[in-house]
Amino acid sequence: MRNRRQNSFLCIMAMACAAAIIGCGTPSIKDGDTVMEIAGQPVVKAEYQMVLKSHVPEVKSQYTTEEANAEDFWEMEGGAGSPIGQVMELAREDLARKKVVARLAQEAGIGVQADYGSIVEGMGTENTKREGRSASGEVIYGLTSFTPEDYYSYVYTDLESQLLEKLKSSHPVSEEELEAIYQENQGQYTSEIRVQMLVGEMQAQDPETGDGGVQQPDTGNGLPQDPETGDGGVQQPDTGNGLPQDPETGDGGVQQPDTGMAAAQQAKASMEEGADIDTLKGQYPQINFYELEMSSLRTEEGKSGAYAQRWMVSSAMEEGQVCEPFLIGRNIMVMRCLKREENVAEPFETIKGVLKSEVQTRLAQEEIEQGIREAEISFQEKTLEQAALEALEGS
């Protein structure tokens, strides 16, 4: 009897310790109770309230300032129903998409934990890492620290992007199908502008050391990769003349430290004199010269859009024109327009890669939308409304 009591006591203590450990895993989630279940994915109260509050401005924008500031605003009735009903519906739609994406990602083998507790824990880890690197003087790309709202949005945006790429590969499209689509919609594949460019690109020197910097991994387009995101380069504000804006005054064409601009200016002069690519390569071995064709349908910006400025400058140039050297990310660029055409139909062979990606993306998005339509959603209306009123208090 005594042994049984001891065993029972030990079991109770073990359960209590386990509960304490689970509770300590996500200390910032006070309201961790599930208030909804969507496509088998739980939605906890804190998560629901956070998503709901993100839609408050959208609802309030439909009313006058006087109405939106009224004490009984959320529960007053109108033609579109009560404001609280509207914001709850927006939150449900938002969460339905996120949780269906989470379920499909699990089924596709994408190993991202997208439940609220894991996201909060991941945010804490990421913030600690970023704050430590910032304190040690390292360059931090993006935010120094995330808020729960920012990190939650970041995780689900990235997860949906990964899912789309995964689903696209499960929708093969034959070349015959692509050519049929191309023929039916040829007008959509006409570029307003197409240019052939001679581009000179070099790494900017460190203005303090004069070094050209450590060689970065190649992105395939000349710009070094962001070591955090893998994206190539950072786009600079456009002034319309190819030079970046002064970040404090907003003025364009501000004199930059001599980071290699002298060499770029010399290359510009040679390009204006008509030097061909082989001559330029021999004269300026520190500069990477290449020819590139771009069009309205193929801007060659890269996935991150880092090269948008290259296209913006190129598309405004006339045949034979040489632009002023400009900074793009960590690099300096100078270009000559070799050829310019307008309203040109893109050949099928040129456009089929873009067309295939468009078709597969549409099919992948349709699969997600179907999952949202068919998703089972369970909740208690009174529980949700009470959680909503708590979140909206003082809003």
Side-chain angles (χ1 to χ4, degrees), residues 212-287:
V214 178
Q215 183 64 37
Q216 302 292 331
D218 183 21
T219 62
N221 55 17
L223 273 186
Q225 287 181 341
D226 180 326
E228 288 292 314
T229 65
D231 293 337
V234 179
Q235 183 179 343
Q236 303 292 328
D238 181 35
T239 64
N241 59 10
L243 282 178
Q245 290 179 339
D246 183 318
E248 295 185 1
T249 68
D251 295 333
V254 177
Q255 183 63 40
Q256 302 291 326
D258 183 11
T259 56
M261 279 293 181
Q265 286 288 355
Q266 291 172 1
K268 173 181 179 283
S270 298
M271 293 169 90
E272 288 176 329
E273 292 170 0
D276 61 26
I277 189 169
D278 291 330
T279 301
L280 291 166
K281 286 180 177 180
Q283 289 179 328
Y284 308 101
Q286 75 274 43
I287 302 177

Coordinates of all heavy atoms in Angstrom, one line a residue, residues 212-287:
G212 N 38.8 46.4 -52.3 CA 37.6 46.2 -53.1 C 36.6 45.2 -52.4 O 35.6 44.9 -52.9
G213 N 37.0 44.9 -51.1 CA 36.1 44.0 -50.4 C 36.3 42.6 -50.7 O 37.0 42.2 -51.6
V214 N 35.8 41.7 -49.8 CA 36.0 40.3 -49.9 C 35.1 39.8 -51.0 O 34.0 40.3 -51.2 CB 35.6 39.6 -48.6 CG1 35.7 38.1 -48.7 CG2 36.5 40.1 -47.5
Q215 N 35.6 38.9 -51.8 CA 34.7 38.4 -52.9 C 33.5 37.6 -52.3 O 33.7 36.7 -51.5 CB 35.6 37.4 -53.8 CG 34.8 36.8 -55.0 CD 34.5 37.9 -56.0 OE1 35.2 38.8 -56.2 NE2 33.3 37.8 -56.5
Q216 N 32.3 38.0 -52.8 CA 31.1 37.5 -52.3 C 30.6 36.3 -53.2 O 31.0 36.3 -54.4 CB 30.0 38.5 -52.2 CG 30.4 39.7 -51.3 CD 30.4 39.3 -49.9 OE1 29.8 38.4 -49.5 NE2 31.3 40.0 -49.1
P217 N 29.8 35.4 -52.7 CA 29.2 34.4 -53.6 C 28.5 35.0 -54.8 O 27.8 36.0 -54.6 CB 28.2 33.7 -52.6 CG 28.7 34.0 -51.3 CD 29.3 35.3 -51.3
D218 N 28.7 34.4 -55.9 CA 28.1 34.9 -57.1 C 26.6 34.6 -57.2 O 26.2 33.5 -57.0 CB 28.8 34.4 -58.3 CG 28.3 34.9 -59.6 OD1 27.8 36.0 -59.6 OD2 28.5 34.3 -60.7
T219 N 25.8 35.6 -57.5 CA 24.4 35.4 -57.7 C 24.0 35.1 -59.1 O 22.8 34.8 -59.4 CB 23.6 36.7 -57.2 OG1 24.0 37.7 -58.2 CG2 23.9 37.1 -55.8
G220 N 25.0 35.1 -60.0 CA 24.7 34.8 -61.4 C 24.4 36.1 -62.1 O 24.2 36.1 -63.3
N221 N 24.3 37.2 -61.4 CA 24.0 38.5 -62.1 C 25.0 39.5 -61.8 O 24.8 40.7 -62.1 CB 22.6 38.9 -61.8 CG 22.4 39.1 -60.3 OD1 23.3 39.1 -59.6 ND2 21.1 39.1 -59.9
G222 N 26.1 39.2 -61.1 CA 27.2 40.2 -60.8 C 27.2 40.8 -59.5 O 28.2 41.2 -59.0
L223 N 26.0 40.8 -58.8 CA 26.0 41.4 -57.4 C 26.3 40.3 -56.4 O 25.9 39.2 -56.5 CB 24.6 42.0 -57.1 CG 24.4 43.4 -57.6 CD1 23.0 43.9 -57.1 CD2 25.4 44.4 -57.1
P224 N 27.0 40.7 -55.3 CA 27.2 39.7 -54.2 C 25.9 39.4 -53.5 O 25.0 40.2 -53.4 CB 28.2 40.5 -53.3 CG 27.9 41.9 -53.6 CD 27.6 42.0 -55.0
Q225 N 25.9 38.3 -52.9 CA 24.7 37.9 -52.1 C 24.7 38.5 -50.8 O 25.7 38.7 -50.1 CB 24.7 36.3 -51.9 CG 24.4 35.6 -53.2 CD 24.4 34.1 -52.9 OE1 24.9 33.6 -51.9 NE2 23.7 33.3 -53.8
D226 N 23.4 38.8 -50.3 CA 23.2 39.1 -48.9 C 23.5 37.9 -48.1 O 22.8 36.8 -48.3 CB 21.8 39.6 -48.7 CG 21.4 39.9 -47.3 OD1 22.0 39.3 -46.4 OD2 20.6 40.9 -47.1
P227 N 24.4 37.8 -47.2 CA 24.7 36.6 -46.4 C 23.6 36.1 -45.6 O 23.5 34.9 -45.3 CB 25.9 37.0 -45.6 CG 25.9 38.5 -45.5 CD 25.2 39.0 -46.7
E228 N 22.6 37.0 -45.3 CA 21.5 36.5 -44.4 C 20.4 35.9 -45.3 O 19.8 34.9 -45.0 CB 20.9 37.7 -43.7 CG 21.7 38.2 -42.5 CD 21.8 37.2 -41.4 OE1 20.8 36.6 -41.0 OE2 22.9 36.9 -40.9
T229 N 20.1 36.6 -46.4 CA 18.9 36.2 -47.2 C 19.2 35.4 -48.5 O 18.4 34.8 -49.1 CB 18.1 37.4 -47.6 OG1 18.8 38.2 -48.5 CG2 17.7 38.2 -46.4
G230 N 20.5 35.6 -49.0 CA 20.9 35.0 -50.2 C 20.5 35.8 -51.4 O 20.8 35.5 -52.6
D231 N 19.9 37.0 -51.2 CA 19.5 37.9 -52.3 C 20.8 38.7 -52.7 O 21.7 39.0 -51.9 CB 18.5 38.9 -51.8 CG 17.2 38.2 -51.5 OD1 17.0 37.1 -52.1 OD2 16.3 38.8 -50.8
G232 N 20.8 39.0 -54.0 CA 21.9 39.8 -54.5 C 21.7 41.3 -54.4 O 20.8 41.8 -55.0
G233 N 22.5 42.0 -53.7 CA 22.5 43.4 -53.7 C 21.4 44.0 -53.0 O 20.4 43.4 -52.7
V234 N 21.4 45.4 -52.9 CA 20.3 46.1 -52.3 C 20.0 47.3 -53.3 O 20.9 48.0 -53.7 CB 20.7 46.7 -51.0 CG1 19.6 47.6 -50.4 CG2 21.1 45.6 -50.0
Q235 N 18.8 47.5 -53.6 CA 18.4 48.5 -54.5 C 18.5 49.9 -53.9 O 18.1 50.1 -52.7 CB 16.9 48.3 -55.0 CG 16.5 49.3 -56.0 CD 15.1 49.1 -56.4 OE1 14.6 48.0 -56.2 NE2 14.5 50.1 -57.1
Q236 N 19.1 50.9 -54.6 CA 19.2 52.2 -54.1 C 18.0 53.1 -54.6 O 17.5 52.8 -55.7 CB 20.5 52.8 -54.6 CG 21.8 52.1 -54.2 CD 22.0 52.1 -52.7 OE1 21.7 53.1 -52.1 NE2 22.5 51.0 -52.1
P237 N 17.7 54.1 -53.9 CA 16.6 55.0 -54.4 C 17.0 55.6 -55.7 O 18.1 56.0 -55.9 CB 16.5 56.1 -53.3 CG 17.1 55.5 -52.1 CD 18.2 54.5 -52.6
D238 N 16.0 55.7 -56.6 CA 16.3 56.2 -58.0 C 16.1 57.7 -58.0 O 15.1 58.2 -57.5 CB 15.4 55.5 -59.0 CG 15.7 56.0 -60.4 OD1 16.9 56.3 -60.7 OD2 14.8 56.0 -61.2
T239 N 17.0 58.4 -58.6 CA 16.8 59.9 -58.7 C 16.5 60.3 -60.2 O 16.2 61.5 -60.4 CB 18.1 60.6 -58.4 OG1 19.1 60.2 -59.3 CG2 18.6 60.2 -57.0
G240 N 16.4 59.3 -61.1 CA 16.1 59.6 -62.4 C 17.4 59.8 -63.3 O 17.3 60.0 -64.5
N241 N 18.5 60.0 -62.6 CA 19.8 60.2 -63.3 C 20.8 59.1 -63.1 O 21.9 59.3 -63.5 CB 20.4 61.6 -63.0 CG 20.7 61.7 -61.5 OD1 20.6 60.7 -60.8 ND2 21.0 62.8 -61.0
G242 N 20.4 58.0 -62.5 CA 21.3 56.9 -62.3 C 22.1 57.0 -61.0 O 22.7 56.0 -60.6
L243 N 22.1 58.1 -60.3 CA 22.8 58.2 -59.1 C 21.9 58.0 -57.9 O 20.7 58.4 -57.9 CB 23.5 59.6 -58.9 CG 24.8 59.8 -59.8 CD1 25.3 61.2 -59.6 CD2 25.9 58.8 -59.4
P244 N 22.4 57.4 -56.8 CA 21.5 57.2 -55.6 C 21.2 58.6 -54.9 O 22.0 59.5 -55.0 CB 22.3 56.3 -54.7 CG 23.7 56.6 -55.1 CD 23.7 56.9 -56.6
Q245 N 20.1 58.6 -54.1 CA 19.8 59.8 -53.4 C 20.6 59.8 -52.1 O 21.0 58.8 -51.5 CB 18.3 59.7 -53.0 CG 17.4 59.9 -54.1 CD 15.9 59.9 -53.7 OE1 15.6 59.3 -52.6 NE2 15.0 60.4 -54.4
D246 N 20.9 61.1 -51.6 CA 21.4 61.3 -50.3 C 20.3 60.8 -49.3 O 19.2 61.4 -49.3 CB 21.7 62.8 -50.1 CG 22.4 63.0 -48.7 OD1 21.9 62.4 -47.7 OD2 23.3 63.9 -48.7
P247 N 20.6 59.8 -48.4 CA 19.5 59.3 -47.5 C 19.0 60.3 -46.6 O 17.9 60.2 -46.0 CB 20.2 58.1 -46.8 CG 21.7 58.4 -47.0 CD 21.9 59.2 -48.2
E248 N 19.8 61.4 -46.3 CA 19.3 62.4 -45.3 C 18.5 63.6 -46.0 O 17.5 64.0 -45.5 CB 20.5 63.0 -44.5 CG 21.2 61.9 -43.7 CD 22.3 62.5 -42.8 OE1 22.5 63.8 -42.9 OE2 22.9 61.8 -42.1
T249 N 19.0 64.0 -47.2 CA 18.4 65.2 -47.8 C 17.5 64.8 -48.9 O 16.6 65.6 -49.3 CB 19.5 66.1 -48.4 OG1 20.1 65.4 -49.5 CG2 20.5 66.5 -47.4
G250 N 17.6 63.6 -49.5 CA 16.8 63.2 -50.6 C 17.3 63.7 -51.9 O 16.7 63.5 -53.0
D251 N 18.4 64.4 -51.9 CA 18.9 65.0 -53.2 C 19.6 63.9 -54.0 O 20.3 63.0 -53.4 CB 20.0 66.1 -52.9 CG 19.3 67.3 -52.2 OD1 18.1 67.5 -52.5 OD2 20.0 68.0 -51.5
G252 N 19.5 64.0 -55.3 CA 20.2 63.0 -56.2 C 21.5 63.5 -56.6 O 21.8 64.7 -56.7
G253 N 22.4 62.6 -57.0 CA 23.7 63.0 -57.6 C 24.6 63.5 -56.5 O 25.5 64.3 -56.8
V254 N 24.5 63.1 -55.3 CA 25.4 63.5 -54.2 C 26.8 62.9 -54.4 O 26.9 61.7 -54.8 CB 24.8 63.1 -52.8 CG1 25.8 63.5 -51.7 CG2 23.5 63.7 -52.6
Q255 N 27.8 63.7 -54.2 CA 29.2 63.2 -54.4 C 29.5 62.1 -53.4 O 29.3 62.3 -52.2 CB 30.2 64.3 -54.2 CG 31.6 63.9 -54.5 CD 31.8 63.4 -55.9 OE1 31.3 64.0 -56.8 NE2 32.6 62.4 -56.1
Q256 N 29.8 60.9 -53.9 CA 30.1 59.8 -53.0 C 31.6 59.7 -52.7 O 32.4 60.2 -53.5 CB 29.6 58.5 -53.7 CG 28.2 58.4 -54.0 CD 27.3 58.3 -52.8 OE1 27.7 57.7 -51.8 NE2 26.1 59.0 -52.9
P257 N 32.0 59.0 -51.7 CA 33.4 58.8 -51.4 C 34.0 58.1 -52.6 O 33.3 57.3 -53.3 CB 33.5 57.9 -50.2 CG 32.1 58.1 -49.5 CD 31.2 58.4 -50.6
D258 N 35.3 58.3 -52.9 CA 35.9 57.7 -54.1 C 36.0 56.2 -53.8 O 36.9 55.7 -53.2 CB 37.3 58.2 -54.3 CG 37.9 57.6 -55.6 OD1 37.2 57.0 -56.3 OD2 39.1 57.9 -55.8
T259 N 35.0 55.4 -54.3 CA 34.9 54.0 -54.1 C 35.2 53.2 -55.3 O 34.8 52.1 -55.5 CB 33.5 53.6 -53.5 OG1 32.6 54.1 -54.5 CG2 33.2 54.2 -52.2
G260 N 35.8 53.9 -56.3 CA 36.1 53.2 -57.6 C 35.4 54.0 -58.7 O 35.4 53.6 -59.9
M261 N 34.8 55.1 -58.4 CA 34.1 55.9 -59.4 C 35.0 56.5 -60.5 O 34.6 56.6 -61.6 CB 33.3 57.1 -58.7 CG 32.0 56.7 -58.1 SD 30.8 56.2 -59.4 CE 29.3 55.9 -58.4
A262 N 36.3 56.7 -60.1 CA 37.2 57.2 -61.0 C 37.4 56.2 -62.2 O 37.4 56.6 -63.4 CB 38.6 57.5 -60.3
A263 N 37.6 55.0 -61.8 CA 37.8 53.9 -62.9 C 36.5 53.8 -63.7 O 36.6 53.6 -64.9 CB 38.1 52.6 -62.2
A264 N 35.3 53.9 -63.0 CA 34.1 53.8 -63.8 C 33.9 55.0 -64.7 O 33.4 54.8 -65.9 CB 32.9 53.8 -62.8
Q265 N 34.4 56.2 -64.3 CA 34.3 57.3 -65.2 C 35.2 57.2 -66.4 O 34.8 57.5 -67.6 CB 34.6 58.6 -64.4 CG 33.6 59.1 -63.5 CD 32.4 59.7 -64.2 OE1 32.3 59.8 -65.4 NE2 31.3 60.0 -63.4
Q266 N 36.4 56.6 -66.2 CA 37.3 56.3 -67.3 C 36.7 55.3 -68.3 O 36.8 55.5 -69.5 CB 38.6 55.8 -66.8 CG 39.4 56.8 -66.0 CD 40.6 56.2 -65.3 OE1 40.9 55.1 -65.4 NE2 41.4 57.1 -64.6
A267 N 36.0 54.3 -67.7 CA 35.4 53.3 -68.6 C 34.2 53.9 -69.4 O 34.0 53.6 -70.5 CB 34.8 52.1 -67.7
K268 N 33.5 54.8 -68.7 CA 32.4 55.5 -69.4 C 33.0 56.3 -70.6 O 32.4 56.2 -71.7 CB 31.8 56.5 -68.4 CG 30.7 57.4 -69.1 CD 30.1 58.4 -68.0 CE 29.1 59.3 -68.7 NZ 29.7 60.4 -69.4
A269 N 34.1 57.0 -70.4 CA 34.7 57.7 -71.5 C 35.1 56.8 -72.7 O 34.8 57.1 -73.9 CB 35.9 58.5 -71.1
S270 N 35.6 55.6 -72.4 CA 36.0 54.7 -73.4 C 34.7 54.1 -74.1 O 34.7 53.9 -75.3 CB 36.8 53.5 -72.8 OG 38.0 54.0 -72.2
M271 N 33.7 53.9 -73.4 CA 32.4 53.4 -74.0 C 31.8 54.5 -74.9 O 31.3 54.1 -75.9 CB 31.4 53.0 -72.8 CG 31.9 51.8 -72.0 SD 30.9 51.5 -70.5 CE 29.6 50.5 -71.1
E272 N 31.9 55.7 -74.5 CA 31.4 56.8 -75.4 C 32.2 56.9 -76.7 O 31.7 57.3 -77.7 CB 31.5 58.1 -74.6 CG 30.4 58.2 -73.5 CD 30.5 59.5 -72.7 OE1 31.7 60.0 -72.5 OE2 29.5 60.0 -72.2
E273 N 33.5 56.5 -76.6 CA 34.3 56.5 -77.8 C 34.1 55.3 -78.7 O 34.6 55.2 -79.8 CB 35.8 56.6 -77.4 CG 36.2 57.9 -76.7 CD 37.6 57.9 -76.1 OE1 38.2 56.8 -76.2 OE2 38.0 58.9 -75.5
G274 N 33.2 54.4 -78.2 CA 32.8 53.2 -79.0 C 33.7 52.0 -78.8 O 33.6 51.1 -79.6
A275 N 34.5 51.9 -77.7 CA 35.3 50.7 -77.5 C 34.4 49.5 -77.3 O 33.3 49.5 -76.7 CB 36.1 50.9 -76.2
D276 N 34.8 48.4 -78.0 CA 34.0 47.2 -77.9 C 34.3 46.4 -76.6 O 35.2 46.8 -75.8 CB 34.2 46.3 -79.1 CG 35.7 45.8 -79.3 OD1 36.4 45.7 -78.2 OD2 36.1 45.5 -80.4
I277 N 33.6 45.3 -76.3 CA 33.7 44.7 -75.0 C 35.1 44.1 -74.8 O 35.6 44.1 -73.7 CB 32.6 43.6 -74.9 CG1 32.6 43.0 -73.5 CG2 32.8 42.5 -76.0 CD1 31.4 42.1 -73.2
D278 N 35.7 43.5 -75.9 CA 37.1 43.0 -75.7 C 38.1 44.0 -75.4 O 39.0 43.8 -74.5 CB 37.5 42.2 -77.0 CG 36.6 41.0 -77.2 OD1 36.2 40.4 -76.2 OD2 36.4 40.6 -78.4
T279 N 38.0 45.2 -76.0 CA 38.9 46.3 -75.7 C 38.7 46.7 -74.3 O 39.7 47.0 -73.6 CB 38.6 47.5 -76.7 OG1 38.8 47.0 -78.0 CG2 39.6 48.6 -76.4
L280 N 37.5 46.9 -73.9 CA 37.2 47.3 -72.5 C 37.7 46.4 -71.5 O 38.3 46.8 -70.4 CB 35.7 47.5 -72.3 CG 35.0 48.7 -73.1 CD1 33.5 48.6 -73.1 CD2 35.5 50.0 -72.5
K281 N 37.5 45.1 -71.7 CA 38.1 44.1 -70.8 C 39.6 44.2 -70.6 O 40.1 44.0 -69.5 CB 37.7 42.7 -71.3 CG 36.2 42.3 -71.0 CD 35.9 40.9 -71.5 CE 34.4 40.5 -71.2 NZ 34.1 39.2 -71.7
G282 N 40.3 44.5 -71.8 CA 41.7 44.6 -71.7 C 42.1 45.9 -71.0 O 43.2 45.9 -70.3
Q283 N 41.4 47.0 -71.2 CA 41.7 48.2 -70.5 C 41.4 48.3 -69.1 O 42.1 48.9 -68.3 CB 41.0 49.4 -71.3 CG 41.5 49.7 -72.6 CD 40.7 50.8 -73.3 OE1 39.5 51.0 -73.0 NE2 41.4 51.6 -74.2
Y284 N 40.3 47.6 -68.7 CA 39.9 47.7 -67.3 C 39.6 46.3 -66.7 O 38.5 45.9 -66.6 CB 38.6 48.5 -67.2 CG 38.7 49.9 -67.9 CD1 38.2 50.1 -69.2 CD2 39.3 50.9 -67.3 CE1 38.3 51.3 -69.8 CE2 39.5 52.2 -67.9 CZ 39.0 52.3 -69.2 OH 39.1 53.5 -69.8
P285 N 40.7 45.6 -66.4 CA 40.5 44.2 -65.9 C 39.8 44.1 -64.6 O 39.3 43.0 -64.2 CB 42.0 43.7 -65.7 CG 42.8 45.0 -65.6 CD 42.1 46.0 -66.4
Q286 N 39.7 45.2 -63.8 CA 39.0 45.2 -62.5 C 37.5 45.3 -62.7 O 36.7 45.2 -61.7 CB 39.5 46.3 -61.6 CG 39.0 47.7 -61.9 CD 39.9 48.4 -63.0 OE1 40.3 47.8 -64.0 NE2 40.2 49.7 -62.8
I287 N 37.0 45.5 -63.9 CA 35.6 45.7 -64.2 C 35.1 44.5 -65.0 O 35.7 44.0 -65.9 CB 35.3 47.0 -65.0 CG1 35.8 48.2 -64.2 CG2 33.8 47.2 -65.3 CD1 35.7 49.6 -65.0

